Amino acid sequence: MPAPGTGAGSGRGGMTGSTRRQFLLGGAVAGVGAATAIGADHALNTTPSTEEASVPLNGQETVPFHGTHQAGIDTDAQAHGLFVALDLLDTTDRDDLARMMRILTDDAARLTQGSPALADSEPELALSPARLTVTFGFGPRFVARAQGEAPGWLKALPSFTVDRLLPEFSDGDVLLQIAADDPLTVAHAARMLLKDARSFASVRWSQQGFRRAHGSVRPGTTMRNLFGQVDGTSNPAPGTADFDQVVWNGEGWLAGGTSAVVRRIGMDLDKWDRLDRGGREQAVGRFLSNGAPLTGTNEFDEPDFEATTPIGFPVIPEFSHVRRARSENPAERIFRRGYNYDDRPAGGAVSRSGLIFVSFQADVARQFVPVQTRLDQLDLLNEWTVPIGSAVFVIPPGCSEDGFVGDTLLTGKQAPQ
Ligand code: HEM
């Protein structure tokens, strides 16, 4: 695992100014017209002075696109995440799916490395990738239309009593998870991908999320959610055998892939305001100051679920989120990589916020569902949270430079090792 914040493989795939220039001009020759539109003189003018070039810019950092796994899962989470679900058009058949994925893969491979997409209408916006990753997922209808074998868990989750799901934030045939440390980069990548997807699919929902801006906190700091909690402490660490076991699936066309559960969970901040600090810490089982368990002092101390107070109550309450979310069965674990959201308030409230809960796991039924079932039965956090969107996707493996994301499903190609 690369040092946090350095971006896996930073420097790899970075283009020199002259390569970019050639690309821009090449694009114009290819009939793209981008360089013509902006003027070739300006297109040539992207090379920084020696002095400027010596200042490392986060915007220049890249995360490799090709490989065994798709990027954007074991990548240190970027500051901005956009989740878009597409519905396939009725006319989109199996061949079209391959065509679409070839084009979208090409866009993503270029944009993530700081190069404009082919026919990029705003090529300058591509020049600061800022650790951009694009991660593709497929819903049940995609796999059915590809005439592939769908894993048994690729379907809507069972309904939970806490759910108040809205169709405008649920389901979908294709997932695009677009994340970078710069929101302009995310917006541009999304536009390029959606323009190229539109003859095959239409947007079903899109959700924008954020974490701390790049540089606000030290790299590697666990994120905080809008309840102020340290959120993401007890998570398998990317780059470890533990992570690989929790996340990567090893079966058939999915080998090297995984699954994503995306749930939009509203957080009632106005109601949370009425709870005192002690009550807030009891609800989760961890301290707000640094995320340490109520039985410890440091964030990564192991919670002691046996510890009791002098009058015999558990220090970490039975109803607390961490006690309920942790399973005695080590196979029931997930990797969480969520983002905050903060919508325009409505109906007299001063906030409409929440969490885009995103988890990756090899098998949704075996790992995610038991955890969510326990939280549905008992979790004090349910007093302040409500799931309003839910979708499940299979995340195919990564691809090699001569392949495309989804090729193991659509062409029977072997996943890259
Ligand atoms: C808005 C909703 C939620 C909030 C605010 C929230 C917040 C938190 C916080 C603050 C922690 C403790 C720190 C940590 O280890 O990350 C935590 C732990 C955890 N949460 Fe959530 N969570 C939410 C929803 C969920 C959901 C829907 C699931 C899965 C179905 C889940 C699964 C977990 C797990 C597995 C842990 C780690 C438990 C452990 O082993 O210690 N959470 N969550």
Side-chain angles (χ1 to χ4, degrees):
M1 151 94 172
T6 55
S10 49
R12 198 193 121 174
M15 293 178 82
T16 62
S18 64
T19 322
R20 277 197 197 110
R21 279 202 307 275
Q22 283 154 7
F23 178 79
L24 284 171
L25 292 170
V29 172
V32 171
T36 318
I38 58 172
D41 288 352
H42 288 91
L44 286 168
N45 211 6
T46 55
T47 315
S49 68
T50 322
E51 201 181 321
E52 281 171 342
S54 67
V55 181
L57 290 177
N58 182 57
Q60 295 307 315
E61 288 199 17
T62 54
V63 178
F65 178 77
H66 297 106
T68 315
H69 312 297
Q70 289 195 67
I73 300 162
D74 60 3
T75 308
D76 192 27
Q78 302 94 324
H80 302 273
L82 175 66
F83 298 82
V84 186
L86 308 178
D87 280 338
L88 295 175
L89 304 183
D90 291 342
T91 49
T92 301
D93 63 16
R94 186 172 194 272
D95 290 344
D96 292 329
L97 294 180
R99 260 192 291 280
M100 174 176 81
M101 290 314 300
R102 251 183 238 283
I103 298 170
L104 298 186
T105 298
D106 183 70
D107 289 343
R110 290 174 195 271
L111 290 164
T112 55
Q113 304 311 305
S115 301
L118 283 180
D120 199 320
S121 39
E122 289 80 28
E124 290 85 354
L125 296 185
L127 305 185
S128 296
R131 297 199 306 124
L132 174 68
T133 56
V134 177
T135 317
F136 298 98
F138 303 150
R141 267 193 347 156
F142 187 111
V143 180
R145 237 182 256 187
Q147 294 151 28
E149 199 185 324
W153 45 256
L154 185 59
K155 56 185 181 197
L157 295 173
S159 32
F160 298 101
T161 57
V162 291
D163 288 355
R164 300 289 177 272
L165 303 183
L166 304 168
E168 60 265 36
F169 290 123
S170 300
D171 306 323
D173 300 335
V174 181
L175 172 73
L176 307 177
Q177 177 194 262
I178 305 167
D181 286 328
D182 184 326
L184 191 52
T185 302
V186 171
H188 175 64
R191 179 159 165 75
M192 289 301 110
L193 291 160
L194 294 179
K195 282 208 295 192
D196 278 340
R198 73 178 155 201
S199 13
F200 308 99
S202 61
V203 175
R204 178 182 180 86
W205 51 254
S206 93
Q207 309 188 39
Q208 241 175 337
F210 58 90
R211 293 172 165 229
R212 290 274 188 207
H214 178 83
S216 289
V217 291
R218 301 220 169 278
T221 305
T222 311
M223 92 155 195
R224 282 194 187 257
N225 62 37
L226 288 163
F227 281 161
Q229 302 159 334
V230 177
D231 189 347
T233 303
S234 179
N235 230 0
T240 61
D242 180 41
F243 179 92
D244 292 351
Q245 198 175 11
V246 170
V247 173
W248 306 123
N249 193 297
E251 287 162 30
W253 65 268
L254 186 48
T258 181
S259 68
V261 172
V262 182
R263 281 171 69 84
R264 187 175 185 84
I265 306 179
M267 294 169 32
D268 189 340
L269 297 189
D270 291 352
K271 191 172 172 194
W272 184 249
D273 279 350
R274 300 201 286 273
L275 188 64
D276 66 16
R277 201 170 168 90
R280 291 175 174 200
E281 293 178 332
Q282 296 261 313
V284 170
R286 287 183 176 271
F287 291 111
L288 284 164
S289 56
N290 62 355
L294 297 183
T295 52
T297 46
N298 296 312
E299 181 188 349
F300 293 100
D301 290 348
E302 265 306 297
D304 176 357
F305 292 109
E306 306 302 321
T308 50
T309 63
I311 52 166
F313 288 111
V315 178
I316 299 177
E318 298 289 356
F319 52 66
S320 68
H321 183 68
V322 295
R323 187 188 280 271
R324 298 297 298 164
R326 183 167 297 200
S327 173
E328 281 170 13
N329 179 352
E332 293 177 1
R333 293 173 61 225
I334 57 178
F335 175 65
R336 293 167 292 134
R337 195 181 185 278
Y339 281 85
N340 300 304
Y341 74 82
D342 191 23
D343 281 354
R344 196 163 75 96
V350 295
S351 57
R352 192 151 55 109
S353 315
L355 186 70
I356 306 173
F357 172 95
V358 181
S359 71
F360 296 99
Q361 51 279 303
D363 182 319
V364 176
R366 183 168 53 77
Q367 295 167 259
F368 177 87
V369 173
V371 180
Q372 180 62 77
T373 302
R374 272 200 311 282
L375 295 179
D376 192 42
Q377 288 158 351
L378 176 67
D379 171 14
L380 197 61
L381 262 198
N382 292 339
E383 288 293 313
W384 302 274
T385 61
V386 54
I388 54 175
S390 184
V392 175
F393 300 96
V394 52
I395 306 290
C399 67
S400 51
E401 285 183 30
D402 63 350
F404 63 93
V405 175
D407 56 10
T408 58
L409 168 67
L410 290 157
T411 69
K413 195 170 191 282
Q414 284 286 312
Q417 297 302 309

